[in-house]
Amino acid sequence: MVDLTRRFDVLVIGGGNAALCAAISARRGGASVLVLEGAPKFYRGGNTRHTRNMRCAHDAATEILTGPYTEDEFWEDLLRVTGGQTDEVLARHMIRESKDILNWIVEQGVRWQPSLGGTLSLGRTNSFFLGGGRAMLNALYLTAEELGVDILYDAEVIDLTVEDGMFLSAQLKQPVGGKTEVRASTLVAAAGGFEANIEWLKQYWGEAADNFLIRGTPYNRGSVLKMLLDKGVQEVGDPTQCHAVAIDARAPKFDGGIITRHDSVVFGIVVNKHAQRFYDEGEDIWPKRYAIWGRLVAAQPDQIAYIIFDSTVVTSFMPTLFPPIAGQTVAELAGKLELDPAALEKTITEFNAAVLSGTFDHTILDDCRTEGITPPKTHWARRIETPPYLAYPVRPGITFTYLGTRVNKEARMLMKGGKPSGNMFAAGEIMAGNVLGKGYAAGMGMTIGSVFGRVAGREAAKNARN
C-alpha cells in the first residue's frame, strides 16, 4: 500500500520507457520515488508496449550490432529526417548520451537480441529488445520495484499546483479512493503526447482527424501536457507534426501497434482513392522514410490510400496482421478496392512503361528507377505485371505528437519567459519536439525516452537533495 500522506522526493507522471528510466535513475540517485501510471496495470507502459528497438550511437560492432554508428552519422541522419528542424545542442547531447544507454539499459535488466536483417536495414544502427517492448517494460518495472520505487496504476492526474515555475503538488484521481493530493519535491513529466485526443487533433487537422488511426495507447490524451502549458511552461514544436506512418485501414482505432504497419511501399506503388500516385515510393532507405507516409496519406482525399504490388514481391517484406487484397487482373483488384478500374489500369500501365531496368537491391539506393513520369520512383522501381495483383488499404497511423514542453540539457522544463523551472523536468514524447521538429527515423523515440528519462531522474534526485 502506497502512503500518499508522505512527501516524495520525486514524482514521476507516466508509465512508459521514459518514466521508468527516470524513476530508476532517481532512485539510484538516492531519492524516494512515486510513479503515477494513468492506465490499468495490464495496459501499463504507454507506446513502449508496441516498440521493438532503439537507435544508439556506438563506435564499433558489438555482439548485437553489425558495425559502428558514429555520433556524426547519427547527427546527419537526424538532420536529414528533420530537415534541420531540431535543437542542435539538445540533439547532439542526446546522441552523445545514447552511447552510454546501450550498457546502462542492460544494467536495468533489459536484454538485447541479435540484429535483424531483411528490409529493415537496421542491423548496424538499432538494437532490438529480446521479447519486444513489453518484455523491456517488464524488466524496467521489476528493477524499479526491487529498488523500492512506489507505483500506482489507474492513477489519473487531474490537476497540478505550480507557482512561479515551482511544482508543489498533484491532484490524483483513482477508481477506488477518489481524489488525493500528492506532494513531492520535484516533478518528472513523462506522460506522452496528445495523439489519442481526437478532439485536440481536430483543432489542427480539422475533420480529417476523424479518419486517423492511433497506433498506440488510448491513454495518451495530453492532459498533463495541457496542464503544464497552462501553468506557464514554454511549448515547443508544431502541433501538426507527429510520428505518423501508413497502417492498415482495417486496424482498430487504438492500440493496433507495430503489426498494423506496412513496410511494402518500396516494393510497389501507392495510389489515392482516384487511383493516382502522389509521392516517390523509392525516395530513400525505408527506415528513414517510413514515418513520412502517415502525413502523406493524411493529405489525400478521405485520408485513404492503397499500396499496390504483384506476386513477385510478397516474400520481400515483413508480413502484417492483415492479408493483402488480391485480384487476378488489375480491374478485379480495383473493383475490390472500390477504385475506378480504368484509372488504376492507366496508372499501372504508365508506371510500367516508365521503369528503367537496373540491378535491384533493396539494401542500397539502387539504380532501378523511372523516367518521364511524375512523381518519379527514384529507386527500387520494378514493373507490376505478374498476377495475382495485390493491395493493402492504408490510413494515417499516429504514434505520437511533437507539441511538447521545452527543456534544457538537464531535461529541466523552461518557463515562458525562458527561465528554467525550479523543480520540473520532462522526458519522452512530452518533450520529443525539442529534438524532432518533423520527421522520424526508426528507434529514435526510444532513444529520446531513455536518454532524457535517465537525465531527468538523475537531475530530479539531485534537485530534491538540494
Side-chain angles (χ1 to χ4, degrees), residues 244 278-280 283 289 291-301 305 396:
F278 52 89
Y279 198 80
D280 181 352
E283 185 178 41
R289 282 295 177 270
I292 70 171
W293 281 89
R295 292 183 65 83
L296 291 171
V297 175
Q300 297 307 305

Side-chain angles (χ1 to χ4, degrees), residues 51-56 58 62 64-69 73-74 77 81 102 112-129 258 261 263 285-290 318 362-364 440-444 447:
T51 61
R52 55 186 177 184
N53 64 83
M54 185 190 302
R55 180 179 295 256
C56 292
H58 48 278
T62 69
I64 54 155
L65 292 160
T66 60
Y69 186 51
E73 186 181 357
F74 194 156
D77 284 342
V81 298
L102 276 174
W112 303 116
Q113 69 178 41
S115 62
L116 300 184
T119 55
L120 288 173
S121 307
L122 295 172
R124 183 174 62 84
T125 60
N126 288 42
S127 304
F128 282 73
F129 308 119
I258 206 157
R261 191 183 96 193
D263 295 332
I285 296 290
W286 185 239
K288 298 176 185 177
R289 282 295 177 270
Y290 80 99
M318 193 170 290
H362 68 79
T363 66
I364 63 170
Y440 191 76
M444 211 169 275
T447 314

Side-chain angles (χ1 to χ4, degrees), residues 164-165 232-234 408 412-422:
D164 297 323
V233 174
Q234 188 179 153
N408 61 18
R412 192 183 293 266
M413 293 186 223
L414 301 182
M415 305 309 288
K416 281 176 181 162
K419 182 182 175 184
S421 163

